[in-house]
Amino acid sequence: MADETKPPAPATAAPKPPPGPPAPPPPKNPGFVTCTIDGREVVVKPGTNVVEAAKSVGVEIPYYCYHKRLSIAANCRMCLVEMSNAPGGKLMPGCQMPVAEGITVKTETARVKDQQRATLEFLLLNHPVDCAICDQAGECKLQDYYMKYDQKPSRLDMPKVEKGKRVPLGPMVVLDQERCILCTRCVRFMREVAKKPQLGVDERGNESFITTFDGQPLDSKYSGNVVDICPVGALTSTDLRFRGRVWFMSSARSVCTGCSRGCNTFLDYLKETTFRYRPRENEAVNQEWMCDDGRLSYKYLNSERVLTAFQGRGAAARDLPLPAAAEAAAGALRKAAAGGALAALFSPVASLEDLLVAALVAKEGLGLSEVYVGGRPDGWQDDFLKRADENPNRRGLELVAQAFGLALKPFAELGPAIEAGRVKAVWAVGTEVPDPAAAAAFARLETLVCQAYNHGPLAREATVLLPAAPHSEADGTYVNFEGRPQRFELAYWPRGGARPHWALAAELGRALGLAWRFQSARGVWDELGARVAGSLPGFEWDSLPSTQKRRGLVPLAAGTVDGRLPGYRERVPTDAVGDTRMDLLKVTR
Amino acid sequence: MPYRLDDTAADLRERLYFPEVIRGVGILMKQFLRNFFFGREKNPDMLARDRSLSQNATLQYPEERVPYPPGYRGLHRLVPREDGRPRCVACYMCATICPAQCIYIEAGELPDDPIEKYPTKFVIDELRCVVCGFCVEACPKDAIRMDSGEHAPPSYTRAAQIWDEKRLLRGPPVSYQYDPWLRRGASSIPAEKLAEMKANAKPFSTVATDEYAQTPGFSVKNLAAEAKARGETLARK
Ligand code: SF4
Ligand code: SF4
Ligand code: SF4
Ligand code: SF4
Ligand code: FES
């Protein structure tokens, strides 16, 4: 061979190193990465991916499989963008690629647009598009992106692939395998967040579908979250299924009352009915998850509500106006207080404002020095979100008691005290009790004044029953088990004759001759908040963070089908500061 | 002047007077006998009535009515499919678009049908309806139509004008070849019924035509008969 006969070249110079990649340019902003996205300069922390970097300057890159709290799968290909450092000029998945110093990202070019259309066409290829029966309609990424990036009719001229249409995965979740786009968000959620890898993908290609392992239900206590993160209508909630269209609903920023964690929620409601809770993002409390029991805990807001004041027990009960009921209650309580046979039972389900006024009336109006603590019995606990204590405001109750110098006594001591005849009258703010069987003892009482949300064992024994409004119908604050005060806002005005606990307690106080007057929960905080504010450093009453904008139907100017005023999914505008809701109310009511 | 009389001199016969009187009575008698002995033509289509014998043109309203033109938007109906279930899937599109906000729907779940969802409550307040037809346009399932050719029947109570799903679900069924229950079958529909439904199904039209907007042979008589069969009475009690 020619090469072999060639004499070796003289070793005059050391062989040149192969030309490697050029040295990265020095960072423009030390400690940060600077790049250009659609002509805009972006400065982000190293390791930020392109989707997030683009979001920070208001450039939207569409995505399905990416979720900022889950690992990155990069399997939907919706987020492909042009990046200047891509090998061979390929389009790169923006969810997976971290930005590098000095690169240029383009999201608006014809190539990117073309691939977005192609990806959507692919995703919609076998998608049944049954938006008319799909519960995701209105918050579906396929609908949104189709309108924004595709808008092409189908070219499919053969039957779509058919898969399981109605597969109950577990107590909370129903799967429609046809609608699934196999983004595997649900699979990753169960593996990484819920730590119960109960979901997986079966088969391949066209035939793939999400399923649980053979014969095992999706029974994790966090399964409801997969419904929220599913970008399409494949996973639907057994609870909300077909009960309402999301575009009719409005949302209030609320707090779950399922346990003492106080997960931040959106309370979705239509007229005077709460339809569901959705987790609201709060990195410090619940990130953006909540447990199934909390998710279902809204039901007491809707059912068996006490809506008018009653006097008398059982068949003798007759309803009467609130002031008259308060007079009757105050008279009976005053008499019992004078005889020293009065006990107050405060529920840690009531809000901080409720308890402030209740404590004020107990202390100044009735001269009590101790209160019994009611509340729901303990439940299960895990090391993620759920706490065993199912009362949202136990810490709040402790703070209030401390501030007013009231001693707290356990509920277990109340029953024996009644049996022994030491207690002849009870004023219950909230009728949740840890031990429903113990409620039987309350039948012996001469006077039982109950402020109750629902008809229940204790409310049945009431001599005066006052209708209380739960957190969906009031403003207020809960203090969670870590001592974190969290505000919730009124979703709709109290049903029927119901009033928040603080208003009922203030009415009692008025009948007892106290001079305090309160206009609103805000007013309660202004008057009495100073007494507990020392224990809640940095808390401001108008501190609800503003909500994020959501895509959805623009409400009709004429109003909505159920006759309610035109509303928004989130009633408070994105840039709301403070309690603008009150200003809105002036306009819309 | 409504009509002109020729200003000609009267001839002898006219001047004799009686022959003309007799002729006039004759014309009168002819018309009288014609209308008396030959029954009034009952074809509700006025223009198609045979006028060779009877010339009686009166319309016996409300038993007889002039047919409305094909595009007329009459009372709503919920279109049934052959097995009697509504085509409607309770998607709320009609309720959403309705400018009068007069449609109220509640959805329920079918356990044994590929369509899963149906309206457990579907109420239209016909008094509030502005007859715009938007609901028909908005329906993705061709499940609501205004092809009955009727306006709301008169009544003495407002409540009688609030039509619920039992009154709305009527008229001839419609099936399209791509309806999911035909494509996938349903445990709730027997096999032979399904075959029959498949045979009757029409291809889905992308162009609105009169044939799709109207159901021929749908009349107030049938409506009234149906209402009577259901024991409804709209008359004063
Ligand atoms: S997932 Fe979205 S596109 Fe698919 S049927 Fe549901 S609403 Fe329609
Ligand atoms: S069920 Fe939903 S979340 Fe799970 S893979 Fe399918 S589309 Fe994604
Ligand atoms: S015709 Fe118009 S006003 Fe009447 S129900 Fe339909 S959408 Fe509403
Ligand atoms: S638009 Fe059609 S399918 Fe949807 S609820 Fe109305 S009638 Fe039913
Ligand atoms: S979001 Fe990037 S590939 Fe799915």
Side-chain angles (χ1 to χ4, degrees), chain B residues 180-195:
Chain B
W181 53 90
L182 298 189
R183 255 189 309 131
R184 303 183 73 120
S187 55
S188 57
I189 311 175
E192 54 283 12
K193 180 81 194 164
L194 194 69

Side-chain angles (χ1 to χ4, degrees), chain A residues 525-545:
Chain A
W525 179 260
D526 288 346
E527 300 275 341
L528 301 176
R531 307 196 187 197
V532 291
S535 325
L536 307 172
F539 173 65
E540 280 178 45
W541 208 78
D542 297 326
S543 64
L544 266 187

Side-chain angles (χ1 to χ4, degrees), chain A residues 324-380:
Chain A
E327 294 286 350
L333 291 180
R334 192 189 289 121
K335 205 164 91 215
L342 173 67
L345 174 67
F346 285 5
S347 164
V349 179
S351 73
L352 195 60
E353 289 73 9
D354 295 341
L355 295 172
L356 280 171
V357 180
L360 179 80
V361 173
K363 186 87 186 169
E364 296 187 7
L366 297 168
L368 294 174
S369 60
E370 53 184 36
V371 291
Y372 292 87
V373 182
R376 304 177 185 134
D378 280 0
W380 58 283

Side-chain angles (χ1 to χ4, degrees), chain A residues 14-28:
Chain A
K16 265 203 208 158
K28 204 165 155 191

Side-chain angles (χ1 to χ4, degrees), chain A residues 132 166 178 241 556 560-561, chain B residues 96 101 103 110 113 116 184:
Chain A
R166 201 173 347 180
E178 288 187 341
R241 228 165 123 80
L556 290 175
T560 48
V561 60
Chain B
T96 306
Q101 303 286 309
I103 305 182
L110 290 170
D113 202 281
E116 300 176 56
R184 303 183 73 120

Side-chain angles (χ1 to χ4, degrees), chain A residues 456-475:
Chain A
L458 203 55
R460 259 196 297 283
E461 308 300 345
T463 53
V464 180
L465 185 58
L466 303 175
H471 72 293
S472 51
E473 301 168 16
D475 285 288

Side-chain angles (χ1 to χ4, degrees), chain A residues 383-407:
Chain A
D383 53 6
F384 185 28
L385 292 179
K386 182 72 170 49
R387 305 282 305 172
D389 179 8
E390 301 206 335
N391 301 291
N393 202 23
R394 191 176 293 279
R395 275 298 281 275
L397 178 51
E398 285 164 9
L399 292 181
V400 169
Q402 208 179 1
F404 281 86
L406 291 166

